[in-house]
Amino acid sequence: MQLPSAPFLSAFAEPLYRAAVVGGRMSLDTLAERAGVERGVAADEVKALAAIGLLEVSDEGIEAVAPRIPLEQVAAEHARAADATRQIASVFAGIWSEAGDRSSFVEVIADEARCTVVETKLMDDTASTVDGLCIGPVSPRRVQSGMRIPRPGIAVGFLAAMERGVRARGLYGVSVLEDIEGLTAVQQCIAVGEQARVFAQVPLNLMLYDGKRAMLSVPGQKGARRSLIVVHESGLLDSLISLFEVFWQMGVPLSAESQVVDALDGPGSDEQQLLSYLAAGLTDEAIARDLGVSARTVGRRIARLEEVLGAHSRFQLATQASRRGWI
């Protein structure tokens, strides 16, 4: 039985856990070999599985742990994160309704020239960390006549911040994989040290600077490109930091080798055939035999399609592919 993947585990988790259950305690090299996974990938995934309690790692080797209690704990943590997100939504609703009486810890900047000055200063003043949520390029199907849509690019002052040792994490909407300019900008950020992930439902454009200030970028009024909301140290800032961490944990890692996939035009013939096989319920081994490739290759291709569509299980992958008319 092919199990669905979880948002906090990659496609390699299942074969590694299965090999550990079947084979008993063993070394990392043996586990990687039996699971058909490269050693470096296996090492990273073993850490992830151990962190949630599915594997025990000791000097004697790696051993599987009964899954129900660890995974129920993970489910409970995600439920608490969902509750926290709903509370954050309530806070934001209060800010919106009280727009005429803003507190001092919130600033709103509507002028574009002023927006650029503030954005530059926030990045220049950053000493240790910068974290960001980025919705990504707007789909051409959502662009209305007269809308002023900025092209994707690297944040002002970001490269200089990285040169002085600032650590960066960026979570991007899945549309970044559909846009050559957007993905190129992300790859440049990764090349200078940013940790990057992708997630299907990034809710807003947010930057966090040293955990002390936040900047929200929202559509501007009356044709203006954008407005900025700057949040200083407060309960609201704490909520925004928590919001970032929730979505960061759900993201799928991006690498400098990630490629653009045109999700608007659809997949190539190979991907479409693979999706058809998945929709028909074929196993990786059966698909591999028909395509003349290894089961590992099939697993990588499926993981890549899940990354592109922001799917966290094969059921979600088939559902989203069907909605797009790919199968």
Side-chain angles (χ1 to χ4, degrees), residues 128-144:
S128 59
T129 62
V130 58
D131 297 322
L133 300 178
C134 177
I135 294 174
V138 177
S139 166
R141 291 177 295 187
R142 298 180 183 177
V143 177
Q144 301 174 4

Side-chain angles (χ1 to χ4, degrees), residues 119 122-123 126 129-130 207-215:
E119 185 178 25
L122 287 170
M123 190 68 79
T126 300
T129 62
V130 58
M207 297 290 287
L208 299 168
Y209 305 93
D210 289 335
K212 297 180 178 180
R213 286 168 294 185
M215 182 184 75

